[in-house]
Amino acid sequence: MRRDEDPEVRKKAFVSLFRKSEENRVVLTNVFNSLAKDWDIEAAKEVILLKFL
């Protein structure tokens, strides 16, 4: 539907997709922030380990 030739069909597909994202924005934000924080912590550990090599 996102690649349909009809612009109205594409518009409805994207509106539908982003409506669900909007409904779940708190959960999605929490997941993203947790992943980013975990990545930052793991990267810091790696830097500390590399200092000892």
Side-chain angles (χ1 to χ4, degrees):
M1 290 177 68
R2 293 182 347 207
R3 295 181 183 209
D4 196 287
E5 292 181 15
D6 184 3
E8 278 302 310
V9 172
R10 290 194 310 268
K11 181 179 178 179
K12 288 178 182 178
F14 277 102
V15 167
S16 175
L17 175 69
F18 289 118
R19 184 181 317 120
K20 279 306 204 184
S21 298
E22 180 65 23
E23 289 172 7
N24 295 309
R25 73 176 183 260
V26 173
V27 173
L28 293 172
T29 300
N30 191 15
V31 168
F32 177 82
N33 288 341
S34 295
L35 289 171
K37 185 175 183 178
D38 184 58
W39 180 86
D40 189 45
I41 291 169
E42 292 300 318
K45 287 180 188 176
E46 189 171 317
V47 168
I48 291 170
L49 290 175
L50 289 175
K51 287 181 180 181
F52 291 108
L53 292 179

